[in-house]
Amino acid sequence: MNEAAGKRSLLSRVSPTQWVAIALSIVAVVFVLQNRGKVSVEILLVTVSSPMWLILLAMFVIGWIVGVLTTRRARK
């Protein structure tokens, strides 16, 4: 076996899925850095003050949980 053919560069070993994951991670970090300002959100009678990115993350997680709980699962 030829040694040069056996050695692939690090960049060529990264799959397209991993490139997408890296790009999305960079976008997420930029989003957090740009949304560090505190906001106040009223939930019923309680006012919560937190960075905007944390409020949006909480809403995303709540939406995801609702989606998981309401999705019908296929019967086996």
Short mmCIF file of all heavy atoms in Angstrom, two decimals:
data_model
loop_
_atom_site.label_atom_id
_atom_site.label_comp_id
_atom_site.label_asym_id
_atom_site.label_seq_id
_atom_site.Cartn_x
_atom_site.Cartn_y
_atom_site.Cartn_z
N MET A 1 0.84 -1.18 0.00
CA MET A 1 0.00 0.00 0.00
C MET A 1 0.89 1.24 0.00
O MET A 1 1.83 1.34 0.76
CB MET A 1 -0.92 -0.03 1.21
CG MET A 1 -1.81 1.16 1.31
SD MET A 1 -2.88 0.95 2.75
CE MET A 1 -4.15 2.03 2.31
N ASN A 2 0.54 2.18 -0.81
CA ASN A 2 1.30 3.41 -0.92
C ASN A 2 1.00 4.28 0.30
O ASN A 2 -0.15 4.52 0.65
CB ASN A 2 0.88 4.13 -2.21
CG ASN A 2 1.75 5.35 -2.47
OD1 ASN A 2 2.57 5.73 -1.65
ND2 ASN A 2 1.55 5.92 -3.63
N GLU A 3 2.05 4.77 1.00
CA GLU A 3 1.86 5.57 2.22
C GLU A 3 1.13 6.86 1.92
O GLU A 3 0.31 7.31 2.71
CB GLU A 3 3.21 5.86 2.88
CG GLU A 3 3.72 4.71 3.69
CD GLU A 3 4.95 5.11 4.47
OE1 GLU A 3 4.95 6.19 5.08
OE2 GLU A 3 5.91 4.33 4.46
N ALA A 4 1.42 7.50 0.82
CA ALA A 4 0.78 8.77 0.49
C ALA A 4 -0.72 8.59 0.26
O ALA A 4 -1.51 9.44 0.60
CB ALA A 4 1.44 9.39 -0.73
N ALA A 5 -1.09 7.45 -0.34
CA ALA A 5 -2.50 7.19 -0.59
C ALA A 5 -3.23 6.84 0.70
O ALA A 5 -4.42 7.08 0.84
CB ALA A 5 -2.66 6.06 -1.61
N GLY A 6 -2.53 6.27 1.66
CA GLY A 6 -3.13 5.86 2.93
C GLY A 6 -3.37 7.02 3.88
O GLY A 6 -4.22 6.95 4.75
N LYS A 7 -2.62 8.10 3.72
CA LYS A 7 -2.77 9.26 4.61
C LYS A 7 -3.69 10.28 3.96
O LYS A 7 -3.41 10.76 2.87
CB LYS A 7 -1.41 9.90 4.89
CG LYS A 7 -0.51 9.05 5.74
CD LYS A 7 0.75 9.80 6.05
CE LYS A 7 1.68 8.96 6.90
NZ LYS A 7 2.92 9.66 7.21
N ARG A 8 -4.77 10.59 4.66
CA ARG A 8 -5.68 11.63 4.19
C ARG A 8 -5.57 12.80 5.14
O ARG A 8 -5.33 12.64 6.33
CB ARG A 8 -7.12 11.12 4.16
CG ARG A 8 -7.34 10.04 3.14
CD ARG A 8 -8.76 9.58 3.00
NE ARG A 8 -9.67 10.08 4.02
CZ ARG A 8 -10.93 9.74 4.13
NH1 ARG A 8 -11.43 8.86 3.29
NH2 ARG A 8 -11.70 10.22 5.06
N SER A 9 -5.76 13.97 4.61
CA SER A 9 -5.69 15.15 5.47
C SER A 9 -6.88 15.16 6.43
O SER A 9 -7.89 14.52 6.19
CB SER A 9 -5.69 16.43 4.63
OG SER A 9 -6.96 16.64 4.08
N LEU A 10 -6.72 15.90 7.51
CA LEU A 10 -7.77 16.00 8.52
C LEU A 10 -9.06 16.55 7.91
O LEU A 10 -10.14 16.07 8.18
CB LEU A 10 -7.31 16.89 9.68
CG LEU A 10 -8.33 17.14 10.78
CD1 LEU A 10 -8.68 15.83 11.47
CD2 LEU A 10 -7.80 18.14 11.78
N LEU A 11 -8.93 17.56 7.05
CA LEU A 11 -10.12 18.17 6.44
C LEU A 11 -10.86 17.21 5.52
O LEU A 11 -12.08 17.27 5.42
CB LEU A 11 -9.73 19.43 5.67
CG LEU A 11 -9.18 20.58 6.52
CD1 LEU A 11 -8.80 21.74 5.62
CD2 LEU A 11 -10.19 21.01 7.56
N SER A 12 -10.16 16.31 4.86
CA SER A 12 -10.83 15.37 3.97
C SER A 12 -11.54 14.25 4.73
O SER A 12 -12.39 13.57 4.17
CB SER A 12 -9.83 14.77 2.98
OG SER A 12 -8.91 13.93 3.65
N ARG A 13 -11.21 14.08 6.01
CA ARG A 13 -11.87 13.05 6.82
C ARG A 13 -13.14 13.55 7.48
O ARG A 13 -13.86 12.78 8.09
CB ARG A 13 -10.92 12.53 7.88
CG ARG A 13 -9.79 11.69 7.30
CD ARG A 13 -8.95 11.12 8.37
NE ARG A 13 -8.02 12.18 8.82
CZ ARG A 13 -7.12 12.05 9.76
NH1 ARG A 13 -7.01 10.92 10.40
NH2 ARG A 13 -6.33 13.05 10.08
N VAL A 14 -13.45 14.83 7.35
CA VAL A 14 -14.66 15.39 7.96
C VAL A 14 -15.81 15.20 6.98
O VAL A 14 -15.74 15.61 5.83
CB VAL A 14 -14.47 16.89 8.29
CG1 VAL A 14 -15.73 17.47 8.90
CG2 VAL A 14 -13.29 17.08 9.24
N SER A 15 -16.89 14.56 7.46
CA SER A 15 -18.03 14.27 6.60
C SER A 15 -18.88 15.53 6.38
O SER A 15 -18.80 16.48 7.15
CB SER A 15 -18.89 13.18 7.23
OG SER A 15 -19.59 13.70 8.35
N PRO A 16 -19.71 15.53 5.34
CA PRO A 16 -20.61 16.68 5.12
C PRO A 16 -21.51 16.96 6.32
O PRO A 16 -21.79 18.11 6.65
CB PRO A 16 -21.41 16.27 3.89
CG PRO A 16 -20.52 15.32 3.17
CD PRO A 16 -19.78 14.58 4.24
N THR A 17 -21.98 15.92 6.98
CA THR A 17 -22.81 16.09 8.17
C THR A 17 -22.04 16.80 9.27
O THR A 17 -22.58 17.68 9.96
CB THR A 17 -23.30 14.72 8.67
OG1 THR A 17 -23.98 14.05 7.61
CG2 THR A 17 -24.24 14.87 9.85
N GLN A 18 -20.79 16.46 9.44
CA GLN A 18 -19.97 17.12 10.45
C GLN A 18 -19.71 18.58 10.09
O GLN A 18 -19.67 19.44 10.97
CB GLN A 18 -18.64 16.37 10.63
CG GLN A 18 -18.84 15.02 11.29
CD GLN A 18 -17.58 14.17 11.26
OE1 GLN A 18 -16.82 14.21 10.28
NE2 GLN A 18 -17.35 13.41 12.31
N TRP A 19 -19.57 18.89 8.80
CA TRP A 19 -19.39 20.28 8.36
C TRP A 19 -20.64 21.09 8.70
O TRP A 19 -20.54 22.24 9.14
CB TRP A 19 -19.09 20.37 6.87
CG TRP A 19 -17.66 20.07 6.53
CD1 TRP A 19 -17.20 19.04 5.76
CD2 TRP A 19 -16.49 20.81 6.95
NE1 TRP A 19 -15.83 19.09 5.69
CE2 TRP A 19 -15.37 20.16 6.41
CE3 TRP A 19 -16.30 21.93 7.74
CZ2 TRP A 19 -14.07 20.61 6.62
CZ3 TRP A 19 -15.00 22.38 7.97
CH2 TRP A 19 -13.91 21.72 7.41
N VAL A 20 -21.82 20.50 8.47
CA VAL A 20 -23.07 21.19 8.81
C VAL A 20 -23.14 21.44 10.31
O VAL A 20 -23.53 22.53 10.76
CB VAL A 20 -24.29 20.39 8.31
CG1 VAL A 20 -25.59 20.97 8.84
CG2 VAL A 20 -24.31 20.36 6.78
N ALA A 21 -22.76 20.45 11.11
CA ALA A 21 -22.77 20.59 12.56
C ALA A 21 -21.81 21.70 13.01
O ALA A 21 -22.14 22.50 13.89
CB ALA A 21 -22.40 19.26 13.23
N ILE A 22 -20.66 21.77 12.40
CA ILE A 22 -19.68 22.82 12.73
C ILE A 22 -20.25 24.19 12.36
O ILE A 22 -20.17 25.14 13.15
CB ILE A 22 -18.34 22.56 12.00
CG1 ILE A 22 -17.65 21.33 12.59
CG2 ILE A 22 -17.43 23.79 12.07
CD1 ILE A 22 -16.48 20.81 11.77
N ALA A 23 -20.84 24.30 11.19
CA ALA A 23 -21.42 25.58 10.75
C ALA A 23 -22.55 26.02 11.67
O ALA A 23 -22.63 27.18 12.07
CB ALA A 23 -21.92 25.47 9.31
N LEU A 24 -23.43 25.09 12.05
CA LEU A 24 -24.53 25.42 12.95
C LEU A 24 -24.03 25.81 14.34
O LEU A 24 -24.60 26.70 14.99
CB LEU A 24 -25.52 24.26 13.04
CG LEU A 24 -26.35 24.01 11.79
CD1 LEU A 24 -27.20 22.76 11.96
CD2 LEU A 24 -27.21 25.21 11.46
N SER A 25 -22.96 25.18 14.78
CA SER A 25 -22.38 25.55 16.07
C SER A 25 -21.82 26.97 16.04
O SER A 25 -22.00 27.73 16.99
CB SER A 25 -21.25 24.58 16.44
OG SER A 25 -21.76 23.28 16.60
N ILE A 26 -21.18 27.33 14.94
CA ILE A 26 -20.65 28.69 14.80
C ILE A 26 -21.80 29.70 14.79
O ILE A 26 -21.73 30.74 15.45
CB ILE A 26 -19.78 28.81 13.53
CG1 ILE A 26 -18.50 27.99 13.71
CG2 ILE A 26 -19.46 30.26 13.20
CD1 ILE A 26 -17.68 27.80 12.45
N VAL A 27 -22.87 29.40 14.06
CA VAL A 27 -24.04 30.29 14.02
C VAL A 27 -24.63 30.43 15.42
O VAL A 27 -25.01 31.53 15.84
CB VAL A 27 -25.09 29.77 13.02
CG1 VAL A 27 -26.41 30.51 13.16
CG2 VAL A 27 -24.57 29.88 11.60
N ALA A 28 -24.71 29.34 16.18
CA ALA A 28 -25.25 29.39 17.54
C ALA A 28 -24.40 30.28 18.44
O ALA A 28 -24.93 31.07 19.23
CB ALA A 28 -25.36 27.98 18.11
N VAL A 29 -23.09 30.17 18.34
CA VAL A 29 -22.20 30.99 19.16
C VAL A 29 -22.36 32.46 18.80
O VAL A 29 -22.44 33.32 19.68
CB VAL A 29 -20.72 30.53 19.01
CG1 VAL A 29 -19.77 31.53 19.62
CG2 VAL A 29 -20.54 29.16 19.63
N VAL A 30 -22.43 32.78 17.51
CA VAL A 30 -22.63 34.16 17.08
C VAL A 30 -23.96 34.69 17.60
O VAL A 30 -24.06 35.81 18.10
CB VAL A 30 -22.54 34.28 15.54
CG1 VAL A 30 -23.00 35.64 15.06
CG2 VAL A 30 -21.12 33.99 15.07
N PHE A 31 -25.00 33.87 17.53
CA PHE A 31 -26.33 34.26 18.03
C PHE A 31 -26.27 34.60 19.52
O PHE A 31 -26.80 35.61 19.96
CB PHE A 31 -27.33 33.13 17.78
CG PHE A 31 -28.69 33.41 18.33
CD1 PHE A 31 -29.57 34.22 17.64
CD2 PHE A 31 -29.09 32.88 19.54
CE1 PHE A 31 -30.83 34.50 18.14
CE2 PHE A 31 -30.34 33.15 20.05
CZ PHE A 31 -31.21 33.96 19.34
N VAL A 32 -25.62 33.75 20.30
CA VAL A 32 -25.52 34.00 21.75
C VAL A 32 -24.74 35.29 22.01
O VAL A 32 -25.14 36.11 22.84
CB VAL A 32 -24.87 32.80 22.46
CG1 VAL A 32 -24.49 33.15 23.88
CG2 VAL A 32 -25.81 31.60 22.45
N LEU A 33 -23.64 35.49 21.30
CA LEU A 33 -22.82 36.69 21.51
C LEU A 33 -23.58 37.96 21.15
O LEU A 33 -23.38 39.01 21.77
CB LEU A 33 -21.52 36.59 20.71
CG LEU A 33 -20.54 35.52 21.20
CD1 LEU A 33 -19.34 35.45 20.25
CD2 LEU A 33 -20.08 35.81 22.61
N GLN A 34 -24.46 37.90 20.17
CA GLN A 34 -25.20 39.07 19.75
C GLN A 34 -26.47 39.30 20.57
O GLN A 34 -27.09 40.35 20.46
CB GLN A 34 -25.56 38.98 18.27
CG GLN A 34 -24.36 39.12 17.38
CD GLN A 34 -24.73 39.12 15.91
OE1 GLN A 34 -25.81 38.68 15.53
NE2 GLN A 34 -23.83 39.62 15.08
N ASN A 35 -26.88 38.35 21.37
CA ASN A 35 -28.13 38.46 22.13
C ASN A 35 -27.88 38.29 23.63
O ASN A 35 -28.60 37.56 24.31
CB ASN A 35 -29.15 37.44 21.63
CG ASN A 35 -29.65 37.78 20.26
OD1 ASN A 35 -30.42 38.70 20.08
ND2 ASN A 35 -29.15 37.06 19.26
N ARG A 36 -26.87 38.98 24.14
CA ARG A 36 -26.54 38.88 25.56
C ARG A 36 -27.31 39.87 26.41
O ARG A 36 -27.27 39.80 27.63
CB ARG A 36 -25.04 39.08 25.77
CG ARG A 36 -24.21 37.94 25.22
CD ARG A 36 -22.77 38.21 25.41
NE ARG A 36 -22.42 39.39 24.59
CZ ARG A 36 -21.33 40.08 24.72
NH1 ARG A 36 -20.46 39.78 25.63
NH2 ARG A 36 -21.09 41.12 23.94
N GLY A 37 -28.00 40.82 25.79
CA GLY A 37 -28.73 41.83 26.55
C GLY A 37 -29.86 41.23 27.36
O GLY A 37 -30.52 40.29 26.93
N LYS A 38 -30.08 41.79 28.54
CA LYS A 38 -31.15 41.29 29.39
C LYS A 38 -32.50 41.81 28.92
O LYS A 38 -32.64 42.96 28.50
CB LYS A 38 -30.92 41.72 30.84
CG LYS A 38 -29.80 40.96 31.49
CD LYS A 38 -30.03 40.87 32.97
CE LYS A 38 -28.92 40.01 33.54
NZ LYS A 38 -29.38 39.03 34.42
N VAL A 39 -33.48 40.94 28.99
CA VAL A 39 -34.87 41.29 28.68
C VAL A 39 -35.74 40.82 29.83
O VAL A 39 -35.37 39.91 30.58
CB VAL A 39 -35.36 40.66 27.36
CG1 VAL A 39 -34.61 41.22 26.18
CG2 VAL A 39 -35.22 39.16 27.39
N SER A 40 -36.88 41.45 29.98
CA SER A 40 -37.85 41.05 31.00
C SER A 40 -39.04 40.42 30.31
O SER A 40 -39.58 40.96 29.34
CB SER A 40 -38.30 42.25 31.82
OG SER A 40 -37.22 42.76 32.56
N VAL A 41 -39.46 39.26 30.82
CA VAL A 41 -40.60 38.55 30.27
C VAL A 41 -41.57 38.30 31.42
O VAL A 41 -41.17 37.83 32.49
CB VAL A 41 -40.16 37.20 29.64
CG1 VAL A 41 -41.35 36.43 29.14
CG2 VAL A 41 -39.16 37.44 28.53
N GLU A 42 -42.84 38.63 31.18
CA GLU A 42 -43.85 38.38 32.19
C GLU A 42 -44.55 37.07 31.91
O GLU A 42 -45.05 36.85 30.81
CB GLU A 42 -44.86 39.52 32.21
CG GLU A 42 -44.28 40.83 32.70
CD GLU A 42 -45.32 41.92 32.81
OE1 GLU A 42 -46.50 41.60 33.03
OE2 GLU A 42 -44.93 43.09 32.65
N ILE A 43 -44.56 36.20 32.91
CA ILE A 43 -45.22 34.90 32.82
C ILE A 43 -46.25 34.88 33.94
O ILE A 43 -45.88 34.78 35.12
CB ILE A 43 -44.23 33.74 32.96
CG1 ILE A 43 -43.14 33.85 31.91
CG2 ILE A 43 -44.95 32.41 32.85
CD1 ILE A 43 -42.00 32.89 32.09
N LEU A 44 -47.50 35.03 33.58
CA LEU A 44 -48.60 35.19 34.54
C LEU A 44 -48.30 36.40 35.42
O LEU A 44 -48.27 37.51 34.95
CB LEU A 44 -48.83 33.91 35.32
CG LEU A 44 -49.22 32.68 34.46
CD1 LEU A 44 -49.31 31.44 35.32
CD2 LEU A 44 -50.49 32.91 33.69
N LEU A 45 -48.04 36.20 36.69
CA LEU A 45 -47.76 37.33 37.58
C LEU A 45 -46.29 37.47 37.92
O LEU A 45 -45.92 38.31 38.73
CB LEU A 45 -48.57 37.17 38.88
CG LEU A 45 -50.10 37.14 38.69
CD1 LEU A 45 -50.78 36.84 40.01
CD2 LEU A 45 -50.60 38.45 38.12
N VAL A 46 -45.44 36.66 37.30
CA VAL A 46 -44.01 36.66 37.60
C VAL A 46 -43.26 37.33 36.45
O VAL A 46 -43.53 37.06 35.28
CB VAL A 46 -43.50 35.20 37.78
CG1 VAL A 46 -42.02 35.18 38.05
CG2 VAL A 46 -44.27 34.50 38.89
N THR A 47 -42.33 38.19 36.79
CA THR A 47 -41.47 38.81 35.78
C THR A 47 -40.09 38.18 35.87
O THR A 47 -39.47 38.15 36.93
CB THR A 47 -41.35 40.33 36.01
OG1 THR A 47 -42.65 40.90 35.95
CG2 THR A 47 -40.48 40.97 34.95
N VAL A 48 -39.64 37.64 34.74
CA VAL A 48 -38.33 36.98 34.67
C VAL A 48 -37.40 37.88 33.86
O VAL A 48 -37.74 38.30 32.75
CB VAL A 48 -38.44 35.60 34.00
CG1 VAL A 48 -37.09 34.95 33.87
CG2 VAL A 48 -39.40 34.71 34.77
N SER A 49 -36.23 38.17 34.40
CA SER A 49 -35.23 38.97 33.69
C SER A 49 -34.03 38.07 33.40
O SER A 49 -33.45 37.49 34.32
CB SER A 49 -34.81 40.16 34.54
OG SER A 49 -33.90 40.95 33.85
N SER A 50 -33.70 37.94 32.12
CA SER A 50 -32.65 37.01 31.71
C SER A 50 -32.11 37.45 30.35
O SER A 50 -32.77 38.20 29.64
CB SER A 50 -33.26 35.61 31.63
OG SER A 50 -32.30 34.68 31.25
N PRO A 51 -30.92 36.96 29.98
CA PRO A 51 -30.43 37.25 28.63
C PRO A 51 -31.41 36.72 27.58
O PRO A 51 -32.04 35.68 27.76
CB PRO A 51 -29.10 36.51 28.55
CG PRO A 51 -28.68 36.31 29.95
CD PRO A 51 -29.95 36.18 30.74
N MET A 52 -31.55 37.47 26.49
CA MET A 52 -32.50 37.09 25.45
C MET A 52 -32.24 35.69 24.90
O MET A 52 -33.17 34.92 24.68
CB MET A 52 -32.46 38.10 24.30
CG MET A 52 -33.52 37.81 23.25
SD MET A 52 -33.44 38.87 21.81
CE MET A 52 -33.83 40.44 22.52
N TRP A 53 -30.97 35.32 24.72
CA TRP A 53 -30.67 34.00 24.15
C TRP A 53 -31.17 32.89 25.06
O TRP A 53 -31.64 31.86 24.59
CB TRP A 53 -29.18 33.84 23.85
CG TRP A 53 -28.30 33.76 25.07
CD1 TRP A 53 -27.66 34.79 25.68
CD2 TRP A 53 -27.98 32.59 25.81
NE1 TRP A 53 -26.97 34.34 26.77
CE2 TRP A 53 -27.14 32.99 26.88
CE3 TRP A 53 -28.31 31.25 25.70
CZ2 TRP A 53 -26.63 32.10 27.81
CZ3 TRP A 53 -27.80 30.35 26.64
CH2 TRP A 53 -26.97 30.77 27.67
N LEU A 54 -31.14 33.12 26.38
CA LEU A 54 -31.60 32.09 27.31
C LEU A 54 -33.12 31.95 27.26
O LEU A 54 -33.65 30.83 27.29
CB LEU A 54 -31.13 32.42 28.72
CG LEU A 54 -31.30 31.33 29.77
CD1 LEU A 54 -30.58 30.06 29.35
CD2 LEU A 54 -30.77 31.82 31.10
N ILE A 55 -33.82 33.07 27.15
CA ILE A 55 -35.28 33.03 27.02
C ILE A 55 -35.66 32.30 25.73
O ILE A 55 -36.55 31.44 25.73
CB ILE A 55 -35.85 34.47 27.00
CG1 ILE A 55 -35.54 35.20 28.31
CG2 ILE A 55 -37.34 34.45 26.70
CD1 ILE A 55 -36.32 34.77 29.50
N LEU A 56 -34.99 32.63 24.62
CA LEU A 56 -35.30 31.97 23.36
C LEU A 56 -34.96 30.48 23.40
O LEU A 56 -35.70 29.66 22.85
CB LEU A 56 -34.55 32.66 22.21
CG LEU A 56 -35.03 34.07 21.89
CD1 LEU A 56 -34.09 34.72 20.88
CD2 LEU A 56 -36.45 34.06 21.39
N LEU A 57 -33.87 30.12 24.06
CA LEU A 57 -33.52 28.71 24.20
C LEU A 57 -34.58 27.98 25.01
O LEU A 57 -34.99 26.87 24.65
CB LEU A 57 -32.14 28.56 24.88
CG LEU A 57 -31.69 27.13 25.16
CD1 LEU A 57 -31.51 26.36 23.85
CD2 LEU A 57 -30.41 27.13 25.97
N ALA A 58 -35.05 28.60 26.08
CA ALA A 58 -36.10 27.98 26.90
C ALA A 58 -37.37 27.77 26.07
O ALA A 58 -38.01 26.71 26.14
CB ALA A 58 -36.39 28.84 28.13
N MET A 59 -37.74 28.76 25.27
CA MET A 59 -38.93 28.63 24.43
C MET A 59 -38.75 27.54 23.38
O MET A 59 -39.68 26.79 23.08
CB MET A 59 -39.27 29.96 23.75
CG MET A 59 -39.75 31.03 24.70
SD MET A 59 -41.27 30.58 25.56
CE MET A 59 -40.65 30.10 27.16
N PHE A 60 -37.55 27.43 22.82
CA PHE A 60 -37.27 26.37 21.86
C PHE A 60 -37.42 25.00 22.51
O PHE A 60 -38.05 24.09 21.95
CB PHE A 60 -35.85 26.53 21.29
CG PHE A 60 -35.42 25.37 20.45
CD1 PHE A 60 -35.87 25.25 19.14
CD2 PHE A 60 -34.59 24.39 20.95
CE1 PHE A 60 -35.48 24.17 18.36
CE2 PHE A 60 -34.21 23.31 20.19
CZ PHE A 60 -34.66 23.21 18.88
N VAL A 61 -36.86 24.84 23.70
CA VAL A 61 -36.92 23.55 24.41
C VAL A 61 -38.37 23.21 24.75
O VAL A 61 -38.81 22.07 24.57
CB VAL A 61 -36.03 23.57 25.67
CG1 VAL A 61 -36.28 22.35 26.55
CG2 VAL A 61 -34.56 23.65 25.26
N ILE A 62 -39.13 24.20 25.22
CA ILE A 62 -40.54 23.95 25.53
C ILE A 62 -41.30 23.53 24.27
O ILE A 62 -42.08 22.57 24.29
CB ILE A 62 -41.18 25.20 26.19
CG1 ILE A 62 -40.61 25.38 27.60
CG2 ILE A 62 -42.70 25.08 26.22
CD1 ILE A 62 -40.97 26.70 28.24
N GLY A 63 -41.06 24.20 23.17
CA GLY A 63 -41.70 23.84 21.91
C GLY A 63 -41.31 22.45 21.45
O GLY A 63 -42.15 21.68 20.95
N TRP A 64 -40.06 22.11 21.62
CA TRP A 64 -39.58 20.77 21.24
C TRP A 64 -40.26 19.70 22.08
O TRP A 64 -40.71 18.68 21.55
CB TRP A 64 -38.06 20.71 21.39
CG TRP A 64 -37.49 19.38 21.03
CD1 TRP A 64 -37.29 18.87 19.78
CD2 TRP A 64 -37.05 18.38 21.94
NE1 TRP A 64 -36.75 17.61 19.87
CE2 TRP A 64 -36.58 17.29 21.19
CE3 TRP A 64 -36.99 18.31 23.33
CZ2 TRP A 64 -36.10 16.15 21.77
CZ3 TRP A 64 -36.49 17.17 23.90
CH2 TRP A 64 -36.05 16.10 23.13
N ILE A 65 -40.36 19.94 23.38
CA ILE A 65 -41.01 18.98 24.28
C ILE A 65 -42.48 18.82 23.90
O ILE A 65 -42.99 17.69 23.85
CB ILE A 65 -40.84 19.40 25.76
CG1 ILE A 65 -39.38 19.25 26.17
CG2 ILE A 65 -41.75 18.59 26.67
CD1 ILE A 65 -39.06 19.85 27.52
N VAL A 66 -43.17 19.92 23.62
CA VAL A 66 -44.57 19.84 23.21
C VAL A 66 -44.68 19.03 21.92
O VAL A 66 -45.57 18.19 21.78
CB VAL A 66 -45.17 21.26 23.03
CG1 VAL A 66 -46.51 21.20 22.32
CG2 VAL A 66 -45.31 21.95 24.37
N GLY A 67 -43.78 19.25 20.98
CA GLY A 67 -43.79 18.49 19.74
C GLY A 67 -43.58 17.00 19.97
O GLY A 67 -44.26 16.16 19.37
N VAL A 68 -42.66 16.67 20.85
CA VAL A 68 -42.40 15.26 21.15
C VAL A 68 -43.61 14.62 21.82
O VAL A 68 -44.00 13.49 21.49
CB VAL A 68 -41.14 15.11 22.05
CG1 VAL A 68 -41.03 13.71 22.62
CG2 VAL A 68 -39.89 15.47 21.27
N LEU A 69 -44.22 15.35 22.74
CA LEU A 69 -45.36 14.80 23.47
C LEU A 69 -46.62 14.67 22.62
O LEU A 69 -47.47 13.82 22.90
CB LEU A 69 -45.66 15.66 24.71
CG LEU A 69 -44.58 15.65 25.80
CD1 LEU A 69 -44.95 16.62 26.90
CD2 LEU A 69 -44.37 14.25 26.35
N THR A 70 -46.76 15.51 21.60
CA THR A 70 -47.97 15.47 20.79
C THR A 70 -47.84 14.69 19.49
O THR A 70 -48.82 14.48 18.80
CB THR A 70 -48.44 16.91 20.46
OG1 THR A 70 -47.40 17.58 19.76
CG2 THR A 70 -48.81 17.66 21.72
N THR A 71 -46.64 14.27 19.15
CA THR A 71 -46.43 13.50 17.94
C THR A 71 -46.92 12.07 18.15
O THR A 71 -46.54 11.42 19.13
CB THR A 71 -44.94 13.48 17.54
OG1 THR A 71 -44.52 14.82 17.34
CG2 THR A 71 -44.72 12.70 16.26
N ARG A 72 -47.71 11.61 17.24
CA ARG A 72 -48.18 10.23 17.35
C ARG A 72 -47.07 9.29 16.92
O ARG A 72 -46.44 9.49 15.90
CB ARG A 72 -49.41 10.00 16.49
CG ARG A 72 -50.59 10.77 16.98
CD ARG A 72 -51.79 10.39 16.17
NE ARG A 72 -52.90 11.19 16.65
CZ ARG A 72 -54.15 10.81 16.53
NH1 ARG A 72 -54.43 9.68 15.92
NH2 ARG A 72 -55.12 11.57 16.98
N ARG A 73 -46.91 8.28 17.68
CA ARG A 73 -45.88 7.29 17.35
C ARG A 73 -46.52 6.14 16.56
O ARG A 73 -47.64 5.74 16.83
CB ARG A 73 -45.25 6.77 18.64
CG ARG A 73 -44.63 7.90 19.41
CD ARG A 73 -43.41 7.45 20.12
NE ARG A 73 -42.70 8.65 20.60
CZ ARG A 73 -42.56 8.96 21.86
NH1 ARG A 73 -43.04 8.18 22.79
NH2 ARG A 73 -41.92 10.05 22.21
N ALA A 74 -45.77 5.61 15.61
CA ALA A 74 -46.27 4.49 14.81
C ALA A 74 -46.39 3.24 15.68
O ALA A 74 -45.55 2.95 16.51
CB ALA A 74 -45.31 4.22 13.65
N ARG A 75 -47.47 2.54 15.46
CA ARG A 75 -47.66 1.29 16.23
C ARG A 75 -46.78 0.21 15.65
O ARG A 75 -46.62 0.08 14.45
CB ARG A 75 -49.12 0.85 16.18
CG ARG A 75 -50.02 1.79 16.92
CD ARG A 75 -51.41 1.27 16.95
NE ARG A 75 -52.26 2.20 17.68
CZ ARG A 75 -53.51 1.96 17.98
NH1 ARG A 75 -54.07 0.82 17.62
NH2 ARG A 75 -54.21 2.84 18.63
N LYS A 76 -46.26 -0.60 16.54
CA LYS A 76 -45.37 -1.70 16.09
C LYS A 76 -46.14 -2.95 15.86
O LYS A 76 -47.09 -3.27 16.42
CB LYS A 76 -44.26 -1.93 17.13
CG LYS A 76 -43.33 -0.78 17.20
CD LYS A 76 -42.26 -1.05 18.22
CE LYS A 76 -41.32 0.16 18.31
NZ LYS A 76 -40.25 -0.05 19.21
#
